[in-house]
Amino acid sequence: MPVSAVGPVTDKAATPDTGEAMCPHRLVLEHVTSRWGVLVLIELLDRPYRFSELRRAIGRVSEKMLTQTLQTLERDGLVHRDAKPVIPPRVDYSLTDLGREAAEQVRGLAEWTARRMAAVQEARDVYDATKNQA
């Protein structure tokens, strides 16, 4: 069976997609490329962060959303949570080897987006002008 960038290529008619059970790689892809997942992975490439530091570095993310994102990435094996038994409690977040690999890929996409934003804006302008004429 051929393999694509996201997993085995299958005959859709023969194997209906029933969600996570059939396509677990899609769920991981959603986690890695989510709005906050991307930013967390890229930020953690630089160094480990405490929760509050990471929240400030990312900006505009709620405590609840950052907590959920970190837990999801930890469950997927991409983020390591290191809780030190000190008073006050100290928790550091860092990337695992798997997480570093994913973060490098995501950073590449983010860098491409930054480099090509002018072309994207030009395409948007053309699209909008065409839509407004109709």
Side-chain angles (χ1 to χ4, degrees):
M1 176 180 307
V3 176
S4 73
V6 293
V9 176
T10 60
D11 179 1
K12 288 287 184 187
T15 56
D17 183 4
T18 59
E20 181 182 350
M22 294 301 289
C23 295
H25 65 274
R26 287 186 184 182
L27 191 58
V28 174
L29 186 61
E30 283 180 31
H31 298 162
V32 169
T33 60
S34 71
R35 178 179 183 181
W36 303 116
V38 166
L39 298 176
V40 165
L41 290 171
I42 291 172
E43 201 61 47
L44 288 176
L45 269 170
D46 292 336
R47 64 178 178 87
Y49 279 86
R50 294 180 75 176
F51 183 89
S52 57
E53 290 177 313
L54 186 58
R55 187 169 177 215
R56 279 192 301 275
I58 292 172
R60 294 187 1 215
V61 60
S62 70
E63 187 173 318
K64 178 182 178 185
M65 197 67 240
L66 182 56
T67 298
Q68 288 175 348
T69 300
L70 287 166
Q71 287 173 343
T72 298
L73 295 174
E74 182 182 6
R75 180 173 183 254
D76 288 342
L78 306 177
V79 168
H80 174 72
R81 181 181 184 272
D82 183 20
K84 294 178 177 40
V86 296
I87 297 175
R90 179 182 174 103
V91 179
D92 292 311
Y93 294 92
S94 60
L95 293 175
T96 63
D97 290 341
L98 189 61
R100 183 161 296 285
E101 188 178 338
E104 292 288 351
Q105 299 298 315
V106 170
R107 181 170 62 183
L109 180 58
E111 289 169 348
W112 174 86
T113 304
R115 282 193 315 272
R116 301 300 289 158
M117 195 60 218
V120 170
Q121 188 58 52
E122 184 179 326
R124 287 176 176 176
D125 292 343
V126 169
Y127 178 89
D128 292 344
T130 303
K131 283 294 186 185
N132 289 335
Q133 290 176 0

